[in-house]
Amino acid sequence: MTENRDRPHHVRRELPALDTFTVPPRFAGATFGSYQPDARFPSQAAAVERLQEAVRALNGSNGQRSVLGRLRRSASEPDWQALYLDGRFGVGKTHLLAAAFHAAAVSKAYLSFQELTYATGMFGMPRALDLFAQARIVCLDEFELDDPGNTMLATSFVRGVIERGSRLIVTSNTLPGELGRGRFSAEEFGREIGSLAEAFDTVRIDGEDYRRRRFDAADALPRILPSEAVRDMATDLHWDVLLRTLIELPPLHYTNFVDSFETMAIDGIEPIPQQDAALRFVHFIDKLYDRATPLVVSIDCGLHGIFPPSYGYGGFERKFLRCQSRLHEMLAQPLTHARGEDDDPFNGVEEDSDAHCP
């Protein structure tokens, strides 16, 4: 049964431990071997090889960083400093990022770029750099520039961790030189964006969204239920309450919010009228997806109607499309228990362990 624990969640401002930044449950078993390259797109197999070489070089270095070593690479250091995994959503970038994290036998940290922006906003850039510079490798998922603020943040962070001798691997749906395009006046930050682009070696991963191969758009979605059924099967969270919670809760704490539910049952999903709330919902769905939290919903507008075109997709279109794709996958999972067979109607639902492989 869904557990809807008492709120509010209290903001913690002490600096967390490095080992709290790790791969989410959905990708806990991700390895290079379990990635399934699509033979139609040779860049997928090439990306696996490039990442394996990078991790081998990192593991083979002595791992010692002297004062001078924090300012320049020594002969014992790997011959790379930052890799940029570029490709559309659904080609397995996050799987490969998690595989690199697991394979790295050094101090390490894994987080999304959104979590990084929230962490630096809460703790300040100097303290964030002090924390993440403890890692020999930092893995950042969904690297993107949404506004001038996180453009400057990204520039400072990338420069700061590299100067301290750490290595970076990031994923993104946008080429480095095109970051921020369509989201704000990116041309005014050409120098900063150019500096970011020059810091990375780009690893292109071509392909199509694996979910389109696994789940047809016309498939029935057994986890979309009538409103009465959602309220009957679990302690539901009404749509208005969820949106209000996402606005009031710092996004850095969405993971804690998600973890307070065994199953997320959302009643009455409707189109999201404000873009800021829509982007927070995208981040929330990312956390549900990463945590492999079972989801059931009632919805009248269809998945295609959650993000209305009234405020324009623009540079955020890929985020919204990725969110719809992930929702489709989660809602396509079968309900394995009929009502009345078990106290928990979702008990025994197993997520596909290869769901993140292309």
Side-chain angles (χ1 to χ4, degrees):
M1 190 71 69
T2 299
E3 185 176 357
N4 191 349
R5 297 178 183 172
D6 291 337
R7 276 88 178 163
H9 294 265
H10 296 288
V11 176
R12 297 175 56 195
R13 296 193 179 277
E14 64 269 22
L15 206 61
L18 187 68
D19 61 8
T20 62
F21 294 94
T22 189
V23 172
R26 181 175 291 272
F27 299 97
T31 66
F32 291 126
S34 63
Y35 182 82
Q36 302 170 17
D38 189 331
R40 297 174 298 166
F41 302 97
S43 62
Q44 293 187 7
V48 174
E49 183 176 353
R50 178 69 181 94
L51 286 170
Q52 287 177 315
E53 291 175 352
V55 173
R56 279 196 296 267
L58 183 66
N59 289 343
S61 66
N62 60 24
Q64 300 297 317
R65 288 182 287 180
S66 64
V67 174
L68 288 177
R70 295 187 179 189
L71 300 177
R72 67 184 184 213
R73 287 178 289 174
S74 68
S76 63
E77 289 290 305
D79 60 357
W80 64 277
Q81 61 181 15
L83 299 180
Y84 191 104
L85 309 186
D86 169 66
R88 63 165 298 166
F89 59 87
V91 298
K93 301 186 303 297
T94 299
H95 180 109
L96 290 176
L97 185 69
F101 177 89
H102 291 313
V106 296
S107 57
K108 51 195 174 182
Y110 181 106
L111 68 164
S112 71
F113 184 69
Q114 282 295 96
E115 288 169 335
L116 174 64
T117 62
Y118 301 137
T120 54
M122 181 174 293
F123 307 120
M125 179 60 71
R127 295 182 72 203
L129 285 175
D130 287 344
L131 171 64
F132 291 110
Q134 299 174 31
R136 291 281 287 145
I137 182 172
V138 178
C139 298
L140 279 176
D141 197 24
E142 299 296 342
F143 191 88
E144 193 50 89
L145 305 182
D146 292 337
D147 56 50
N150 66 20
T151 298
M152 304 306 295
L153 177 152
T155 303
S156 298
F157 182 80
V158 169
R159 182 186 298 118
V161 294
I162 289 176
E163 286 178 349
R164 288 162 172 77
S166 298
R167 296 298 187 270
L168 280 170
I169 304 179
V170 309
T171 71
S172 182
N173 297 322
T174 307
L175 284 167
E178 298 177 359
L179 287 166
R181 184 172 298 177
R183 305 189 184 192
F184 61 98
S185 301
E187 62 277 2
E188 297 179 9
F189 296 85
R191 179 182 301 176
E192 289 78 12
I193 293 174
S195 175
L196 278 175
E198 290 175 359
F200 291 100
D201 296 328
T202 300
V203 179
R204 176 67 184 176
I205 307 177
D206 298 302
E208 58 188 32
D209 183 4
Y210 77 89
R211 300 177 191 91
R212 296 300 182 186
R213 303 200 306 271
R214 294 170 57 85
F215 307 108
D216 188 274
D219 287 346
L221 300 178
R223 288 174 175 264
I224 295 182
L225 302 170
S227 181
E228 296 79 6
V230 172
R231 291 195 296 265
D232 183 51
M233 295 177 72
T235 303
D236 68 296
L237 186 65
H238 194 271
W239 180 240
D240 291 341
V241 176
L242 174 62
L243 289 186
R244 186 167 63 250
T245 300
L246 297 183
I247 291 297
E248 295 174 351
L249 188 67
L252 186 61
H253 295 278
Y254 282 11
T255 296
N256 292 338
F257 175 64
V258 167
D259 284 347
S260 69
F261 291 84
E262 294 177 5
T263 295
M264 180 65 67
I266 306 173
D267 180 31
I269 293 180
E270 297 178 348
I272 307 174
Q274 291 85 27
Q275 184 166 277
D276 178 66
L279 292 172
R280 284 175 174 255
F281 179 72
V282 168
H283 185 58
F284 167 72
I285 292 300
D286 285 343
K287 297 302 102 181
L288 275 181
Y289 185 83
D290 287 346
R291 309 301 289 178
T293 303
L295 174 68
V296 293
V297 305
S298 68
I299 180 172
D300 294 326
C301 61
L303 297 184
H304 63 280
I306 295 177
F307 306 110
S310 59
Y311 48 71
Y313 285 0
F316 296 112
E317 182 174 15
R318 293 174 184 174
K319 285 192 173 186
F320 297 144
L321 291 176
R322 185 188 76 237
C323 182
Q324 290 170 332
S325 178
R326 288 184 165 185
L327 278 169
H328 189 102
E329 177 183 346
M330 289 190 285
L331 296 172
Q333 300 294 332
L335 291 171
T336 58
H337 288 266
R339 179 64 175 165
E341 291 183 359
D342 198 294
D343 287 339
D344 178 5
F346 311 105
N347 183 37
V349 174
E350 296 183 359
E351 299 290 343
D352 191 334
S353 61
D354 293 327
H356 44 268
C357 301

